[in-house]
């Protein structure tokens, strides 16, 4: 008999028809007259109830027991994998439209009492230690289905808006952000490294003939795509070797990075807001059961927060205005762990204060000080020819600012980092030289400013941070199947 996935079985009303379902046991309750098995196959957060007559329903194994013994209904415990053949019937119980009257059960795999994902509640820390098994739980099943749907939303959005999916390399000889902390890629014998007279490693005999690393971003290559195809997006893994053990950082994570030719700062902010609202609305439209479960079990304000983002116009605020608001809060007695003077890189606590307490809605913060942003961002001109900006509250920046556009979200802080890119070769070179950067590995990037340069802009969205927001989970390690963090590369 062909298998029916449980999601389809629960949605079927063809009562009285034979059916075959397969999955893993969530719970098994026994009595003298009847047994109830809650079965789930990962297609939905909901279980199908299997009703078993312990006398009339045969139970067999698809394997030979090592001791030659036969299996029984009692061997079916939480975590066991089984095949159920039976009849789909209308359920008399409230909250479930249908159930299955079992006529035969085949056991594919048993679980003993040492199975780590028992029915009793497990802490998230315990489940991280058993990441290979935690995916079978209700919570992580819901998170992974939402993760899939968010990936589908991203591809659909960009495809419908005329963007091209552009694949950028994972192995690179350049550091996009100029911040170091990259994982090296080498075939050299680490026990016998060839060095020059100054003690520096010679890479002539390495696979690529030069020092290479895992990428921290596909942006620079993405800009090349935008100057040829008009509008592209990347969606792939990126890597940072930062020793950060926080609930917001991973060493391996996924990034979405669109780059668009002829896009200005206003258009970039419009794109960021429209894109992220589209993704959240997609989750509300396509993940209702999973979101309802997470709203009940993980974060009781989740659905309210998601609807609020979709139905709210984002605040657009310059960095200088944001600092002024934070300074006023400090003067009124608000305590922050980190300083927030003009020129400081805002901490998550500052971003969340603006979003969650002051405005109570998402914020797109713009026009950051040049010194705290990347070399490729376009500087703001002012009316007098200088490089200061004035926001809608009339507060002038005291020093040069870049056309950055970061989106700040409740619970998360920064979820998107974007900017207009500097298209002028001389200005870009001046910024690179002022920062003391080496240009020998960026020659190909600089060529785009020499030959047919154009205005363009883009942003980067941390995929796991989006999943954190949409699911209400509190730790980024819990929204990726197998997290990579300092001292942790299991599974």
């Amino acid at each position: 008999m062909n298998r029916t996935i449980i999601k389809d079985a629960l949605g079927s009303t063809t009562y009285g028809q034979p059916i075959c379902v397969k999955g893993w046991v969530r719970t098994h309750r026994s009595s003298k007259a009847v047994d109830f098995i809650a079965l789930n196959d990962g297609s939905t957060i909901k279980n199908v109830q299997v009703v078993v007559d312990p006398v009339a329903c045969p139970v067999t194994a698809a394997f030979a027991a090592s001791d030659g013994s036969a299996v029984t209904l009692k061997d079916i415990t939480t975590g066991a994998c089984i095949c159920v053949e039976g009849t789909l019937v209308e359920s008399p119980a409230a909250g479930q439209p249908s159930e299955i009257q079992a006529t035969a059960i085949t056991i594919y795999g048993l679980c003993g009492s040492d199975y780590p994902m028992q029915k009793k509640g497990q802490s998230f820390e315990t489940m991280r230690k058993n990441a290979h098994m935690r995916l079978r739980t209700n919570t992580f099943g819901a998170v992974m289905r939402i993760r899939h749907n968010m990936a589908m939303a991203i591809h659909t959005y960009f495809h419908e808006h005329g963007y091209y999916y552009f694949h950028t390399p994972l192995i690179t000889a350049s550091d996009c952000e100029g911040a170091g902390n990259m994982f090296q890629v080498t075939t050299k014998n680490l026990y016998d490294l060839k060095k020059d007279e100054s003690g520096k490693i010679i890479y002539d005999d390495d696979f690529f003939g030069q020092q290479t690393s895992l990428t921290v971003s596909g942006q620079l290559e993405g800009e090349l795509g935008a100057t040829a195809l008009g509008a592209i997006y990347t969606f792939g893994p990126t890597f940072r070797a930062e020793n950060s053990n926080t609930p917001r950082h991973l060493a391996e994570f996924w990034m979405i990075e669109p780059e668009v030719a002829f896009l200005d700062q206003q258009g970039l902010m419009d794109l960021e807001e429209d894109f992220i609202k589209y993704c959240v609305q997609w989750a509300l439209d396509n993940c209702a059961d999973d979101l309802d479960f997470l709203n009940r079990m993980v974060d009781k304000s989740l659905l309210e927060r998601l609807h609020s983002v979709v139905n709210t116009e984002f605040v657009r605020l310059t960095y200088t205005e944001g600092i002024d608001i934070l300074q006023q809060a400090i003067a009124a007695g608000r305590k922050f762990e980190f300083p927030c003077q003009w020129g400081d890189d805002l901490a998550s606590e500052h971003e969340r204060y603006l979003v969650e307490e002051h405005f109570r809605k998402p914020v797109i913060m713009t026009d950051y000080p040049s010194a705290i942003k990347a070399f490729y961002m376009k500087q703001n001109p002012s009316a007098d020819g200088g490089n200061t900006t004035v926001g809608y509250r009339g507060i002038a920046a005291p020093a040069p600012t870049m056309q950055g556009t970061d989106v700040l979200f409740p619970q998360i802080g920064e979820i998107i980092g974007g900017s207009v890119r500097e298209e002028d070769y001389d200005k870009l070179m001046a910024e690179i030289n002022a920062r003391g950067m080496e240009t020998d590995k960026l020659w190909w990037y600089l060529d785009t400013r020499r030959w047919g340069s154009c205005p363009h802009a883009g942003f980067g969205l941390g995929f796991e941070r989006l999943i954190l927001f949409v699911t209400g989970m509190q730790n980024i390690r819990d929204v990726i199947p197998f997290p990579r963090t300092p001292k942790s590369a299991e599974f």
Side-chain angles (χ1 to χ4, degrees):
M1 188 186 303
N2 291 332
R3 173 198 171 207
T4 300
I5 65 170
I6 289 174
K7 181 179 181 180
D8 291 344
L10 291 171
S12 175
T13 56
T14 56
Y15 302 128
Q17 296 297 312
I19 191 170
C20 172
V21 294
K22 301 177 182 182
W24 293 268
V25 174
R26 288 288 195 262
T27 60
H28 180 183
R29 295 181 290 118
S30 299
S31 68
K32 290 183 179 181
V34 66
D35 281 29
F36 298 98
I37 297 174
L39 196 66
N40 191 285
D41 64 1
S43 62
T44 173
I45 190 70
K46 298 176 180 178
N47 305 321
V48 66
Q49 179 165 274
V50 178
V51 183
V52 187
D53 182 333
V55 176
C57 180
V59 177
T60 57
F63 55 89
S66 57
D67 60 0
S69 61
V71 295
T72 68
L73 189 59
K74 291 182 179 180
D75 293 317
I76 300 175
T77 57
T78 297
C81 183
I82 64 174
C83 168
V84 176
E85 294 184 31
T87 304
L88 185 71
V89 299
E90 189 171 5
S91 176
Q96 53 186 44
S98 57
E99 62 187 27
I100 296 172
Q101 296 281 353
T103 55
I105 296 177
T106 302
I107 301 176
Y108 290 141
L110 296 172
C111 272
S113 59
D114 58 344
Y115 176 59
M117 298 294 111
Q118 295 292 341
K119 181 184 175 182
K120 64 179 182 179
Q122 312 285 336
S123 70
F124 285 119
E125 184 61 35
T126 296
M127 286 192 279
R128 285 179 210 125
K129 294 176 181 177
N130 293 281
H132 58 312
M133 290 288 108
R134 69 176 183 171
L135 300 174
R136 298 186 190 179
T137 65
N138 287 332
T139 297
F140 284 91
V143 170
M144 293 306 137
R145 282 187 293 272
I146 291 172
R147 184 182 173 102
H148 158 78
N149 269 280
M150 288 297 90
M152 293 301 297
I154 289 161
H155 286 300
T156 302
Y157 178 88
F158 286 121
H159 178 69
E160 290 179 347
H161 287 77
Y163 288 65
Y164 295 99
Y165 185 26
F166 192 70
H167 296 145
T168 55
L170 297 185
I171 299 174
T172 180
S174 65
D175 177 2
C176 175
E177 301 294 336
N181 298 321
M182 300 175 74
F183 292 103
Q184 287 197 41
V185 175
T186 182
T187 58
K188 293 177 69 65
N189 181 354
L190 300 183
Y191 297 99
D192 186 23
L193 295 173
K194 185 169 65 172
K195 300 180 180 180
D196 62 18
E197 294 179 354
S198 64
K200 292 184 177 180
I201 298 173
I202 298 173
Y203 287 92
D204 293 350
D205 60 341
D206 205 354
F207 186 89
F208 294 105
Q210 59 183 310
Q211 184 177 357
T212 55
S213 304
L214 294 177
T215 187
V216 299
S217 169
Q219 178 201 314
L220 301 190
E221 294 88 351
E223 289 185 47
L224 307 186
T227 59
L229 300 173
I232 64 93
Y233 72 102
T234 73
F235 187 3
T238 51
F239 310 85
R240 295 196 185 217
E242 296 178 352
N243 190 20
S244 299
N245 279 294
T246 77
R248 297 289 182 267
H249 290 90
L250 291 167
E252 176 185 281
F253 53 99
W254 287 63
M255 288 283 288
I256 300 96
E257 296 177 292
E259 290 290 330
V260 190
F262 315 114
L263 190 67
D264 61 14
Q265 188 180 35
Q266 185 65 42
L268 179 59
M269 288 189 286
D270 292 342
L271 171 63
E272 290 169 338
E273 181 170 347
D274 187 59
F275 168 69
I276 205 160
K277 283 182 174 179
Y278 180 95
C279 290
V280 174
Q281 186 63 58
W282 182 287
L284 290 168
D285 292 341
N286 295 279
C287 308
D289 289 342
D290 289 320
L291 289 175
D292 180 66
F293 171 81
L294 293 171
N295 190 74
R296 288 184 286 109
M297 304 301 295
V298 175
D299 183 345
K300 289 181 170 37
S301 62
L302 174 61
L303 287 174
E304 178 184 358
R305 193 162 57 248
L306 295 179
H307 283 290
S308 174
V309 164
V310 170
N311 298 321
T312 299
E313 184 176 349
F314 294 5
V315 173
R316 301 188 179 187
L317 183 78
T318 69
Y319 168 91
T320 303
E321 294 163 342
I323 289 292
D324 182 64
I325 292 170
L326 292 166
Q327 288 295 321
Q328 290 181 27
I330 292 171
R334 185 65 160 82
K335 301 292 184 183
F336 293 111
E337 181 180 356
F338 297 101
C340 57
Q341 300 292 328
W342 200 97
D344 290 333
D345 201 356
L346 294 184
S348 179
E349 62 174 341
H350 305 135
E351 296 168 342
R352 292 184 62 179
Y353 172 82
L354 293 170
V355 172
E356 297 172 12
E357 298 183 44
H358 187 81
F359 289 108
R360 298 183 183 276
K361 61 177 67 176
V363 170
I364 303 180
M365 183 167 281
T366 68
D367 307 314
Y368 288 81
S370 301
I372 64 172
K373 286 299 182 180
F375 74 94
Y376 49 73
M377 294 189 182
K378 188 178 183 66
Q379 278 199 2
N380 272 310
S382 65
D384 60 4
N387 288 298
T388 58
T389 53
V390 178
Y392 71 86
R393 298 173 70 235
I395 304 174
T401 60
M402 299 283 203
Q403 291 186 25
T405 57
D406 292 358
V407 180
L408 313 180
F409 254 36
Q411 305 289 110
I412 303 296
E414 181 189 327
I415 195 169
I416 284 179
S419 77
V420 178
R421 320 307 191 189
E422 180 54 70
E423 79 273 13
D424 185 278
Y425 177 84
D426 292 332
K427 290 180 180 179
L428 185 61
M429 280 301 301
E431 189 66 29
I432 289 173
N433 291 332
R435 294 171 184 244
M437 295 174 60
E438 298 180 2
T439 60
D440 59 327
K441 294 182 179 179
L442 288 174
W443 63 268
W444 51 270
Y445 181 71
L446 294 170
D447 274 357
T448 62
R449 272 65 172 178
R450 295 175 59 223
W451 297 324
S453 183
C454 69
H456 60 288
F459 67 78
L461 166 67
F463 187 49
E464 281 73 30
R465 291 197 176 189
L466 174 62
I467 306 304
L468 269 181
F469 179 77
V470 173
T471 61
M473 300 293 281
Q474 299 300 305
N475 195 310
I476 203 165
R477 294 170 174 86
D478 299 329
V479 295
I480 191 169
F482 307 107
R484 297 292 183 256
T485 54
K487 310 299 181 186
S488 177
E490 298 295 331
F491 317 110

